[in-house]
Amino acid sequence: MKRFFSLLALAAGLTLGACDNNIEPMKANTGTINKNPQVDHAARPEPAIAPQSQ
């Protein structure tokens, strides 16, 4: 039983040692969400046009 408590104390110590309280908590992006972003139409390839036969 003494060994169990030793392992439990070791696990608790390692768990607390792994905690880092210096990191700021994550925050959700509360800005407005742009559901229709601007699209650069110049970046799209132009459609191919078949040459006119004479």
Side-chain angles (χ1 to χ4, degrees):
M1 196 67 164
K2 187 175 183 181
R3 186 173 185 177
F4 173 74
F5 287 120
S6 297
L7 290 175
L8 185 63
L10 177 64
L14 290 174
T15 303
L16 290 174
C19 294
D20 188 5
N21 291 332
N22 295 329
I23 298 174
E24 294 184 20
M26 299 290 287
K27 293 183 180 179
N29 186 6
T30 58
T32 58
I33 298 173
N34 187 3
K35 293 185 178 180
N36 296 317
Q38 295 290 326
V39 179
D40 185 10
H41 294 287
R44 294 183 180 176
E46 301 212 4
I49 300 173
Q52 296 178 352
S53 60
Q54 294 181 352

mmCIF file of all heavy atoms in Angstrom:
data_model
loop_
_atom_site.group_PDB
_atom_site.id
_atom_site.type_symbol
_atom_site.label_atom_id
_atom_site.label_comp_id
_atom_site.label_asym_id
_atom_site.label_seq_id
_atom_site.Cartn_x
_atom_site.Cartn_y
_atom_site.Cartn_z
ATOM 1 N N MET A 1 0.831 -1.195 0.000
ATOM 2 C CA MET A 1 0.000 0.000 0.000
ATOM 3 C C MET A 1 0.874 1.258 0.000
ATOM 4 O O MET A 1 0.498 2.262 -0.582
ATOM 5 C CB MET A 1 -0.906 -0.035 1.234
ATOM 6 C CG MET A 1 -2.049 0.918 1.155
ATOM 7 S SD MET A 1 -3.180 0.406 -0.136
ATOM 8 C CE MET A 1 -4.578 1.334 0.265
ATOM 9 N N LYS A 2 2.021 1.158 0.657
ATOM 10 C CA LYS A 2 2.917 2.306 0.717
ATOM 11 C C LYS A 2 3.456 2.629 -0.682
ATOM 12 O O LYS A 2 3.627 3.801 -1.036
ATOM 13 C CB LYS A 2 4.068 1.997 1.673
ATOM 14 C CG LYS A 2 4.972 3.153 1.937
ATOM 15 C CD LYS A 2 6.005 2.798 2.980
ATOM 16 C CE LYS A 2 6.874 3.998 3.286
ATOM 17 N NZ LYS A 2 7.907 3.683 4.265
ATOM 18 N N ARG A 3 3.684 1.597 -1.471
ATOM 19 C CA ARG A 3 4.183 1.800 -2.833
ATOM 20 C C ARG A 3 3.136 2.503 -3.702
ATOM 21 O O ARG A 3 3.478 3.343 -4.541
ATOM 22 C CB ARG A 3 4.555 0.447 -3.436
ATOM 23 C CG ARG A 3 5.204 0.556 -4.761
ATOM 24 C CD ARG A 3 5.702 -0.772 -5.233
ATOM 25 N NE ARG A 3 6.425 -0.603 -6.475
ATOM 26 C CZ ARG A 3 7.036 -1.552 -7.119
ATOM 27 N NH1 ARG A 3 7.034 -2.772 -6.631
ATOM 28 N NH2 ARG A 3 7.665 -1.318 -8.240
ATOM 29 N N PHE A 4 1.861 2.162 -3.489
ATOM 30 C CA PHE A 4 0.774 2.801 -4.236
ATOM 31 C C PHE A 4 0.746 4.302 -3.987
ATOM 32 O O PHE A 4 0.635 5.099 -4.915
ATOM 33 C CB PHE A 4 -0.578 2.168 -3.856
ATOM 34 C CG PHE A 4 -1.754 2.881 -4.453
ATOM 35 C CD1 PHE A 4 -2.055 2.761 -5.805
ATOM 36 C CD2 PHE A 4 -2.556 3.693 -3.668
ATOM 37 C CE1 PHE A 4 -3.138 3.422 -6.355
ATOM 38 C CE2 PHE A 4 -3.636 4.357 -4.214
ATOM 39 C CZ PHE A 4 -3.932 4.221 -5.559
ATOM 40 N N PHE A 5 0.856 4.693 -2.717
ATOM 41 C CA PHE A 5 0.831 6.114 -2.394
ATOM 42 C C PHE A 5 2.073 6.829 -2.919
ATOM 43 O O PHE A 5 2.005 7.994 -3.311
ATOM 44 C CB PHE A 5 0.687 6.315 -0.883
ATOM 45 C CG PHE A 5 -0.696 6.003 -0.374
ATOM 46 C CD1 PHE A 5 -0.891 5.019 0.579
ATOM 47 C CD2 PHE A 5 -1.799 6.683 -0.846
ATOM 48 C CE1 PHE A 5 -2.162 4.718 1.038
ATOM 49 C CE2 PHE A 5 -3.065 6.398 -0.403
ATOM 50 C CZ PHE A 5 -3.256 5.408 0.547
ATOM 51 N N SER A 6 3.199 6.134 -2.950
ATOM 52 C CA SER A 6 4.413 6.727 -3.510
ATOM 53 C C SER A 6 4.243 6.999 -4.999
ATOM 54 O O SER A 6 4.598 8.064 -5.495
ATOM 55 C CB SER A 6 5.605 5.792 -3.296
ATOM 56 O OG SER A 6 5.855 5.608 -1.935
ATOM 57 N N LEU A 7 3.665 6.016 -5.711
ATOM 58 C CA LEU A 7 3.414 6.211 -7.145
ATOM 59 C C LEU A 7 2.365 7.286 -7.384
ATOM 60 O O LEU A 7 2.462 8.061 -8.338
ATOM 61 C CB LEU A 7 2.987 4.892 -7.781
ATOM 62 C CG LEU A 7 4.077 3.827 -7.882
ATOM 63 C CD1 LEU A 7 3.490 2.518 -8.410
ATOM 64 C CD2 LEU A 7 5.205 4.302 -8.771
ATOM 65 N N LEU A 8 1.360 7.346 -6.529
ATOM 66 C CA LEU A 8 0.334 8.371 -6.653
ATOM 67 C C LEU A 8 0.915 9.762 -6.434
ATOM 68 O O LEU A 8 0.619 10.700 -7.174
ATOM 69 C CB LEU A 8 -0.796 8.102 -5.648
ATOM 70 C CG LEU A 8 -2.001 9.019 -5.724
ATOM 71 C CD1 LEU A 8 -2.694 8.860 -7.080
ATOM 72 C CD2 LEU A 8 -2.971 8.721 -4.602
ATOM 73 N N ALA A 9 1.795 9.896 -5.439
ATOM 74 C CA ALA A 9 2.443 11.179 -5.184
ATOM 75 C C ALA A 9 3.365 11.561 -6.336
ATOM 76 O O ALA A 9 3.431 12.732 -6.737
ATOM 77 C CB ALA A 9 3.218 11.119 -3.871
ATOM 78 N N LEU A 10 4.072 10.587 -6.898
ATOM 79 C CA LEU A 10 4.941 10.855 -8.040
ATOM 80 C C LEU A 10 4.126 11.312 -9.247
ATOM 81 O O LEU A 10 4.492 12.286 -9.920
ATOM 82 C CB LEU A 10 5.743 9.599 -8.385
ATOM 83 C CG LEU A 10 6.654 9.706 -9.605
ATOM 84 C CD1 LEU A 10 7.740 10.736 -9.361
ATOM 85 C CD2 LEU A 10 7.240 8.354 -9.939
ATOM 86 N N ALA A 11 3.006 10.640 -9.508
ATOM 87 C CA ALA A 11 2.155 11.029 -10.640
ATOM 88 C C ALA A 11 1.582 12.427 -10.435
ATOM 89 O O ALA A 11 1.520 13.234 -11.372
ATOM 90 C CB ALA A 11 1.025 10.014 -10.817
ATOM 91 N N ALA A 12 1.166 12.742 -9.213
ATOM 92 C CA ALA A 12 0.634 14.075 -8.932
ATOM 93 C C ALA A 12 1.725 15.140 -9.098
ATOM 94 O O ALA A 12 1.468 16.219 -9.645
ATOM 95 C CB ALA A 12 0.056 14.115 -7.523
ATOM 96 N N GLY A 13 2.931 14.815 -8.651
ATOM 97 C CA GLY A 13 4.038 15.773 -8.797
ATOM 98 C C GLY A 13 4.385 16.024 -10.243
ATOM 99 O O GLY A 13 4.626 17.163 -10.652
ATOM 100 N N LEU A 14 4.418 14.961 -11.044
ATOM 101 C CA LEU A 14 4.707 15.135 -12.473
ATOM 102 C C LEU A 14 3.604 15.910 -13.175
ATOM 103 O O LEU A 14 3.866 16.725 -14.056
ATOM 104 C CB LEU A 14 4.906 13.773 -13.135
ATOM 105 C CG LEU A 14 6.188 13.032 -12.746
ATOM 106 C CD1 LEU A 14 6.188 11.645 -13.365
ATOM 107 C CD2 LEU A 14 7.403 13.816 -13.174
ATOM 108 N N THR A 15 2.378 15.659 -12.793
ATOM 109 C CA THR A 15 1.251 16.381 -13.403
ATOM 110 C C THR A 15 1.319 17.865 -13.080
ATOM 111 O O THR A 15 1.139 18.711 -13.955
ATOM 112 C CB THR A 15 -0.082 15.789 -12.915
ATOM 113 O OG1 THR A 15 -0.115 14.397 -13.220
ATOM 114 C CG2 THR A 15 -1.265 16.470 -13.573
ATOM 115 N N LEU A 16 1.558 18.188 -11.832
ATOM 116 C CA LEU A 16 1.650 19.601 -11.448
ATOM 117 C C LEU A 16 2.889 20.260 -12.035
ATOM 118 O O LEU A 16 2.876 21.449 -12.340
ATOM 119 C CB LEU A 16 1.648 19.730 -9.924
ATOM 120 C CG LEU A 16 0.323 19.393 -9.241
ATOM 121 C CD1 LEU A 16 0.495 19.422 -7.738
ATOM 122 C CD2 LEU A 16 -0.758 20.362 -9.683
ATOM 123 N N GLY A 17 3.943 19.501 -12.199
ATOM 124 C CA GLY A 17 5.159 20.052 -12.787
ATOM 125 C C GLY A 17 5.007 20.361 -14.260
ATOM 126 O O GLY A 17 5.680 21.230 -14.801
ATOM 127 N N ALA A 18 4.094 19.661 -14.927
ATOM 128 C CA ALA A 18 3.878 19.879 -16.351
ATOM 129 C C ALA A 18 2.997 21.091 -16.624
ATOM 130 O O ALA A 18 2.913 21.552 -17.756
ATOM 131 C CB ALA A 18 3.263 18.633 -16.980
ATOM 132 N N CYS A 19 2.326 21.607 -15.601
ATOM 133 C CA CYS A 19 1.450 22.761 -15.790
ATOM 134 C C CYS A 19 2.281 24.019 -15.990
ATOM 135 O O CYS A 19 3.306 24.212 -15.341
ATOM 136 C CB CYS A 19 0.540 22.955 -14.576
ATOM 137 S SG CYS A 19 -0.639 21.627 -14.352
ATOM 138 N N ASP A 20 1.831 24.879 -16.896
ATOM 139 C CA ASP A 20 2.515 26.144 -17.137
ATOM 140 C C ASP A 20 1.491 27.255 -16.980
ATOM 141 O O ASP A 20 0.611 27.437 -17.816
ATOM 142 C CB ASP A 20 3.120 26.163 -18.539
ATOM 143 C CG ASP A 20 3.990 27.381 -18.757
ATOM 144 O OD1 ASP A 20 4.187 28.153 -17.797
ATOM 145 O OD2 ASP A 20 4.472 27.560 -19.882
ATOM 146 N N ASN A 21 1.600 27.988 -15.905
ATOM 147 C CA ASN A 21 0.625 29.044 -15.629
ATOM 148 C C ASN A 21 0.985 30.360 -16.307
ATOM 149 O O ASN A 21 0.278 31.340 -16.166
ATOM 150 C CB ASN A 21 0.509 29.267 -14.118
ATOM 151 C CG ASN A 21 -0.135 28.095 -13.436
ATOM 152 O OD1 ASN A 21 -0.934 27.386 -14.032
ATOM 153 N ND2 ASN A 21 0.198 27.874 -12.175
ATOM 154 N N ASN A 22 2.080 30.408 -17.046
ATOM 155 C CA ASN A 22 2.498 31.643 -17.695
ATOM 156 C C ASN A 22 1.848 31.833 -19.060
ATOM 157 O O ASN A 22 2.001 32.887 -19.671
ATOM 158 C CB ASN A 22 4.019 31.669 -17.851
ATOM 159 C CG ASN A 22 4.706 31.718 -16.504
ATOM 160 O OD1 ASN A 22 4.173 32.266 -15.555
ATOM 161 N ND2 ASN A 22 5.881 31.126 -16.420
ATOM 162 N N ILE A 23 1.151 30.850 -19.562
ATOM 163 C CA ILE A 23 0.524 30.941 -20.876
ATOM 164 C C ILE A 23 -0.837 31.610 -20.734
ATOM 165 O O ILE A 23 -1.636 31.241 -19.876
ATOM 166 C CB ILE A 23 0.372 29.541 -21.500
ATOM 167 C CG1 ILE A 23 1.740 28.912 -21.699
ATOM 168 C CG2 ILE A 23 -0.385 29.623 -22.822
ATOM 169 C CD1 ILE A 23 1.689 27.484 -22.180
ATOM 170 N N GLU A 24 -1.083 32.615 -21.573
ATOM 171 C CA GLU A 24 -2.381 33.283 -21.533
ATOM 172 C C GLU A 24 -3.448 32.348 -22.081
ATOM 173 O O GLU A 24 -3.197 31.578 -23.011
ATOM 174 C CB GLU A 24 -2.341 34.561 -22.371
ATOM 175 C CG GLU A 24 -1.420 35.621 -21.801
ATOM 176 C CD GLU A 24 -1.478 36.910 -22.597
ATOM 177 O OE1 GLU A 24 -2.452 37.117 -23.318
ATOM 178 O OE2 GLU A 24 -0.535 37.688 -22.487
ATOM 179 N N PRO A 25 -4.651 32.408 -21.542
ATOM 180 C CA PRO A 25 -5.716 31.521 -22.033
ATOM 181 C C PRO A 25 -6.106 31.875 -23.466
ATOM 182 O O PRO A 25 -6.018 33.026 -23.886
ATOM 183 C CB PRO A 25 -6.875 31.769 -21.064
ATOM 184 C CG PRO A 25 -6.578 33.068 -20.408
ATOM 185 C CD PRO A 25 -5.091 33.242 -20.443
ATOM 186 N N MET A 26 -6.514 30.871 -24.200
ATOM 187 C CA MET A 26 -6.925 31.079 -25.589
ATOM 188 C C MET A 26 -8.264 31.815 -25.604
ATOM 189 O O MET A 26 -9.138 31.558 -24.778
ATOM 190 C CB MET A 26 -7.078 29.734 -26.299
ATOM 191 C CG MET A 26 -5.785 28.937 -26.334
ATOM 192 S SD MET A 26 -4.564 29.660 -27.400
ATOM 193 C CE MET A 26 -5.234 29.271 -28.979
ATOM 194 N N LYS A 27 -8.407 32.703 -26.551
ATOM 195 C CA LYS A 27 -9.663 33.446 -26.686
ATOM 196 C C LYS A 27 -10.244 33.171 -28.063
ATOM 197 O O LYS A 27 -9.508 33.042 -29.038
ATOM 198 C CB LYS A 27 -9.430 34.939 -26.507
ATOM 199 C CG LYS A 27 -9.008 35.312 -25.117
ATOM 200 C CD LYS A 27 -8.871 36.813 -24.971
ATOM 201 C CE LYS A 27 -8.455 37.163 -23.561
ATOM 202 N NZ LYS A 27 -8.291 38.607 -23.387
ATOM 203 N N ALA A 28 -11.542 33.102 -28.114
ATOM 204 C CA ALA A 28 -12.216 32.895 -29.384
ATOM 205 C C ALA A 28 -12.138 34.171 -30.215
ATOM 206 O O ALA A 28 -12.064 35.280 -29.684
ATOM 207 C CB ALA A 28 -13.674 32.516 -29.154
ATOM 208 N N ASN A 29 -12.133 34.013 -31.531
ATOM 209 C CA ASN A 29 -12.129 35.156 -32.426
ATOM 210 C C ASN A 29 -13.505 35.803 -32.367
ATOM 211 O O ASN A 29 -14.491 35.241 -32.841
ATOM 212 C CB ASN A 29 -11.799 34.695 -33.851
ATOM 213 C CG ASN A 29 -11.630 35.863 -34.788
ATOM 214 O OD1 ASN A 29 -11.654 37.011 -34.364
ATOM 215 N ND2 ASN A 29 -11.461 35.567 -36.059
ATOM 216 N N THR A 30 -13.582 36.976 -31.758
ATOM 217 C CA THR A 30 -14.870 37.636 -31.587
ATOM 218 C C THR A 30 -15.123 38.683 -32.658
ATOM 219 O O THR A 30 -16.121 39.386 -32.601
ATOM 220 C CB THR A 30 -14.950 38.300 -30.201
ATOM 221 O OG1 THR A 30 -13.873 39.225 -30.090
ATOM 222 C CG2 THR A 30 -14.880 37.263 -29.097
ATOM 223 N N GLY A 31 -14.213 38.798 -33.627
ATOM 224 C CA GLY A 31 -14.403 39.765 -34.706
ATOM 225 C C GLY A 31 -15.513 39.318 -35.650
ATOM 226 O O GLY A 31 -16.035 38.207 -35.579
ATOM 227 N N THR A 32 -15.905 40.209 -36.536
ATOM 228 C CA THR A 32 -16.954 39.859 -37.485
ATOM 229 C C THR A 32 -16.433 38.829 -38.469
ATOM 230 O O THR A 32 -15.279 38.859 -38.874
ATOM 231 C CB THR A 32 -17.438 41.101 -38.251
ATOM 232 O OG1 THR A 32 -16.331 41.675 -38.919
ATOM 233 C CG2 THR A 32 -18.049 42.117 -37.301
ATOM 234 N N ILE A 33 -17.294 37.932 -38.850
ATOM 235 C CA ILE A 33 -16.937 36.875 -39.790
ATOM 236 C C ILE A 33 -17.422 37.283 -41.171
ATOM 237 O O ILE A 33 -18.597 37.577 -41.371
ATOM 238 C CB ILE A 33 -17.570 35.535 -39.371
ATOM 239 C CG1 ILE A 33 -17.030 35.125 -38.005
ATOM 240 C CG2 ILE A 33 -17.283 34.467 -40.403
ATOM 241 C CD1 ILE A 33 -17.722 33.918 -37.436
ATOM 242 N N ASN A 34 -16.485 37.325 -42.124
ATOM 243 C CA ASN A 34 -16.821 37.692 -43.490
ATOM 244 C C ASN A 34 -17.154 36.423 -44.254
ATOM 245 O O ASN A 34 -16.272 35.668 -44.628
ATOM 246 C CB ASN A 34 -15.657 38.437 -44.133
ATOM 247 C CG ASN A 34 -16.011 38.987 -45.490
ATOM 248 O OD1 ASN A 34 -17.147 38.870 -45.940
ATOM 249 N ND2 ASN A 34 -15.047 39.591 -46.143
ATOM 250 N N LYS A 35 -18.449 36.190 -44.475
ATOM 251 C CA LYS A 35 -18.866 34.973 -45.169
ATOM 252 C C LYS A 35 -18.725 35.099 -46.679
ATOM 253 O O LYS A 35 -18.784 34.109 -47.384
ATOM 254 C CB LYS A 35 -20.305 34.627 -44.804
ATOM 255 C CG LYS A 35 -20.447 34.216 -43.355
ATOM 256 C CD LYS A 35 -21.833 33.768 -43.051
ATOM 257 C CE LYS A 35 -21.925 33.318 -41.603
ATOM 258 N NZ LYS A 35 -23.252 32.861 -41.256
ATOM 259 N N ASN A 36 -18.558 36.319 -47.175
ATOM 260 C CA ASN A 36 -18.384 36.543 -48.608
ATOM 261 C C ASN A 36 -17.099 37.334 -48.831
ATOM 262 O O ASN A 36 -17.127 38.528 -49.076
ATOM 263 C CB ASN A 36 -19.581 37.317 -49.182
ATOM 264 C CG ASN A 36 -20.862 36.528 -49.077
ATOM 265 O OD1 ASN A 36 -20.879 35.337 -49.352
ATOM 266 N ND2 ASN A 36 -21.934 37.181 -48.658
ATOM 267 N N PRO A 37 -15.955 36.668 -48.758
ATOM 268 C CA PRO A 37 -14.692 37.395 -48.913
ATOM 269 C C PRO A 37 -14.504 37.875 -50.351
ATOM 270 O O PRO A 37 -15.098 37.338 -51.286
ATOM 271 C CB PRO A 37 -13.634 36.360 -48.537
ATOM 272 C CG PRO A 37 -14.282 35.053 -48.821
ATOM 273 C CD PRO A 37 -15.748 35.245 -48.544
ATOM 274 N N GLN A 38 -13.662 38.897 -50.506
ATOM 275 C CA GLN A 38 -13.365 39.419 -51.833
ATOM 276 C C GLN A 38 -12.580 38.376 -52.622
ATOM 277 O O GLN A 38 -11.688 37.739 -52.095
ATOM 278 C CB GLN A 38 -12.547 40.703 -51.723
ATOM 279 C CG GLN A 38 -13.299 41.842 -51.063
ATOM 280 C CD GLN A 38 -14.418 42.359 -51.949
ATOM 281 O OE1 GLN A 38 -14.294 42.363 -53.160
ATOM 282 N NE2 GLN A 38 -15.506 42.770 -51.334
ATOM 283 N N VAL A 39 -12.923 38.206 -53.884
ATOM 284 C CA VAL A 39 -12.251 37.236 -54.747
ATOM 285 C C VAL A 39 -11.474 37.998 -55.794
ATOM 286 O O VAL A 39 -11.992 38.930 -56.409
ATOM 287 C CB VAL A 39 -13.279 36.297 -55.421
ATOM 288 C CG1 VAL A 39 -12.592 35.315 -56.342
ATOM 289 C CG2 VAL A 39 -14.089 35.562 -54.373
ATOM 290 N N ASP A 40 -10.231 37.605 -55.999
ATOM 291 C CA ASP A 40 -9.392 38.233 -57.016
ATOM 292 C C ASP A 40 -9.716 37.591 -58.360
ATOM 293 O O ASP A 40 -9.264 36.500 -58.668
ATOM 294 C CB ASP A 40 -7.919 38.045 -56.660
ATOM 295 C CG ASP A 40 -7.016 38.791 -57.615
ATOM 296 O OD1 ASP A 40 -7.531 39.593 -58.424
ATOM 297 O OD2 ASP A 40 -5.797 38.583 -57.546
ATOM 298 N N HIS A 41 -10.527 38.266 -59.167
ATOM 299 C CA HIS A 41 -10.949 37.700 -60.454
ATOM 300 C C HIS A 41 -9.806 37.684 -61.458
ATOM 301 O O HIS A 41 -9.837 36.915 -62.412
ATOM 302 C CB HIS A 41 -12.138 38.484 -61.012
ATOM 303 C CG HIS A 41 -13.364 38.334 -60.178
ATOM 304 N ND1 HIS A 41 -14.103 37.183 -60.148
ATOM 305 C CD2 HIS A 41 -13.968 39.184 -59.312
ATOM 306 C CE1 HIS A 41 -15.122 37.333 -59.326
ATOM 307 N NE2 HIS A 41 -15.067 38.538 -58.801
ATOM 308 N N ALA A 42 -8.799 38.520 -61.266
ATOM 309 C CA ALA A 42 -7.674 38.547 -62.193
ATOM 310 C C ALA A 42 -6.815 37.284 -62.048
ATOM 311 O O ALA A 42 -6.077 36.938 -62.964
ATOM 312 C CB ALA A 42 -6.824 39.790 -61.939
ATOM 313 N N ALA A 43 -6.911 36.619 -60.940
ATOM 314 C CA ALA A 43 -6.110 35.419 -60.721
ATOM 315 C C ALA A 43 -6.706 34.190 -61.418
ATOM 316 O O ALA A 43 -6.047 33.183 -61.568
ATOM 317 C CB ALA A 43 -5.980 35.148 -59.234
ATOM 318 N N ARG A 44 -7.955 34.289 -61.827
ATOM 319 C CA ARG A 44 -8.599 33.157 -62.496
ATOM 320 C C ARG A 44 -8.209 33.128 -63.976
ATOM 321 O O ARG A 44 -8.115 34.169 -64.618
ATOM 322 C CB ARG A 44 -10.119 33.272 -62.394
ATOM 323 C CG ARG A 44 -10.622 33.139 -60.985
ATOM 324 C CD ARG A 44 -12.125 33.189 -60.971
ATOM 325 N NE ARG A 44 -12.634 33.064 -59.609
ATOM 326 C CZ ARG A 44 -13.912 33.144 -59.306
ATOM 327 N NH1 ARG A 44 -14.811 33.365 -60.245
ATOM 328 N NH2 ARG A 44 -14.297 33.010 -58.061
ATOM 329 N N PRO A 45 -8.005 31.950 -64.542
ATOM 330 C CA PRO A 45 -7.687 31.894 -65.969
ATOM 331 C C PRO A 45 -8.910 32.270 -66.814
ATOM 332 O O PRO A 45 -10.041 31.977 -66.463
ATOM 333 C CB PRO A 45 -7.295 30.429 -66.185
ATOM 334 C CG PRO A 45 -7.931 29.692 -65.075
ATOM 335 C CD PRO A 45 -8.014 30.636 -63.919
ATOM 336 N N GLU A 46 -8.646 32.928 -67.917
ATOM 337 C CA GLU A 46 -9.748 33.323 -68.798
ATOM 338 C C GLU A 46 -10.211 32.110 -69.590
ATOM 339 O O GLU A 46 -9.406 31.241 -69.943
ATOM 340 C CB GLU A 46 -9.270 34.432 -69.736
ATOM 341 C CG GLU A 46 -8.790 35.632 -68.954
ATOM 342 C CD GLU A 46 -9.048 36.913 -69.698
ATOM 343 O OE1 GLU A 46 -9.654 36.887 -70.763
ATOM 344 O OE2 GLU A 46 -8.630 37.940 -69.175
ATOM 345 N N PRO A 47 -11.495 32.022 -69.891
ATOM 346 C CA PRO A 47 -11.984 30.861 -70.642
ATOM 347 C C PRO A 47 -11.421 30.856 -72.066
ATOM 348 O O PRO A 47 -11.222 31.907 -72.672
ATOM 349 C CB PRO A 47 -13.496 31.033 -70.638
ATOM 350 C CG PRO A 47 -13.732 32.471 -70.326
ATOM 351 C CD PRO A 47 -12.564 32.941 -69.529
ATOM 352 N N ALA A 48 -11.180 29.665 -72.578
ATOM 353 C CA ALA A 48 -10.656 29.530 -73.930
ATOM 354 C C ALA A 48 -11.753 29.834 -74.942
ATOM 355 O O ALA A 48 -12.881 29.394 -74.795
ATOM 356 C CB ALA A 48 -10.119 28.117 -74.135
ATOM 357 N N ILE A 49 -11.400 30.595 -75.952
ATOM 358 C CA ILE A 49 -12.373 30.950 -77.008
ATOM 359 C C ILE A 49 -11.922 30.243 -78.284
ATOM 360 O O ILE A 49 -10.773 30.360 -78.704
ATOM 361 C CB ILE A 49 -12.425 32.463 -77.228
ATOM 362 C CG1 ILE A 49 -12.853 33.161 -75.907
ATOM 363 C CG2 ILE A 49 -13.367 32.817 -78.345
ATOM 364 C CD1 ILE A 49 -12.777 34.662 -75.976
ATOM 365 N N ALA A 50 -12.846 29.500 -78.894
ATOM 366 C CA ALA A 50 -12.509 28.776 -80.114
ATOM 367 C C ALA A 50 -12.303 29.770 -81.259
ATOM 368 O O ALA A 50 -13.051 30.746 -81.400
ATOM 369 C CB ALA A 50 -13.639 27.818 -80.469
ATOM 370 N N PRO A 51 -11.268 29.564 -82.053
ATOM 371 C CA PRO A 51 -11.039 30.486 -83.167
ATOM 372 C C PRO A 51 -12.167 30.363 -84.201
ATOM 373 O O PRO A 51 -12.710 29.292 -84.436
ATOM 374 C CB PRO A 51 -9.700 30.027 -83.749
ATOM 375 C CG PRO A 51 -9.542 28.623 -83.286
ATOM 376 C CD PRO A 51 -10.285 28.499 -82.003
ATOM 377 N N GLN A 52 -12.496 31.501 -84.826
ATOM 378 C CA GLN A 52 -13.551 31.490 -85.841
ATOM 379 C C GLN A 52 -12.974 30.990 -87.164
ATOM 380 O O GLN A 52 -11.932 31.442 -87.599
ATOM 381 C CB GLN A 52 -14.136 32.887 -86.004
ATOM 382 C CG GLN A 52 -14.822 33.381 -84.762
ATOM 383 C CD GLN A 52 -15.359 34.786 -84.947
ATOM 384 O OE1 GLN A 52 -15.079 35.431 -85.951
ATOM 385 N NE2 GLN A 52 -16.115 35.262 -83.971
ATOM 386 N N SER A 53 -13.694 30.047 -87.777
ATOM 387 C CA SER A 53 -13.213 29.542 -89.083
ATOM 388 C C SER A 53 -13.711 30.471 -90.195
ATOM 389 O O SER A 53 -14.794 31.022 -90.136
ATOM 390 C CB SER A 53 -13.713 28.127 -89.316
ATOM 391 O OG SER A 53 -15.131 28.114 -89.305
ATOM 392 N N GLN A 54 -12.900 30.572 -91.256
ATOM 393 C CA GLN A 54 -13.282 31.471 -92.365
ATOM 394 C C GLN A 54 -13.694 30.691 -93.565
ATOM 395 O O GLN A 54 -13.327 29.715 -93.965
ATOM 396 C CB GLN A 54 -12.130 32.391 -92.711
ATOM 397 C CG GLN A 54 -11.853 33.327 -91.585
ATOM 398 C CD GLN A 54 -10.709 34.283 -91.936
ATOM 399 O OE1 GLN A 54 -10.038 34.150 -92.966
ATOM 400 N NE2 GLN A 54 -10.472 35.236 -91.074
#
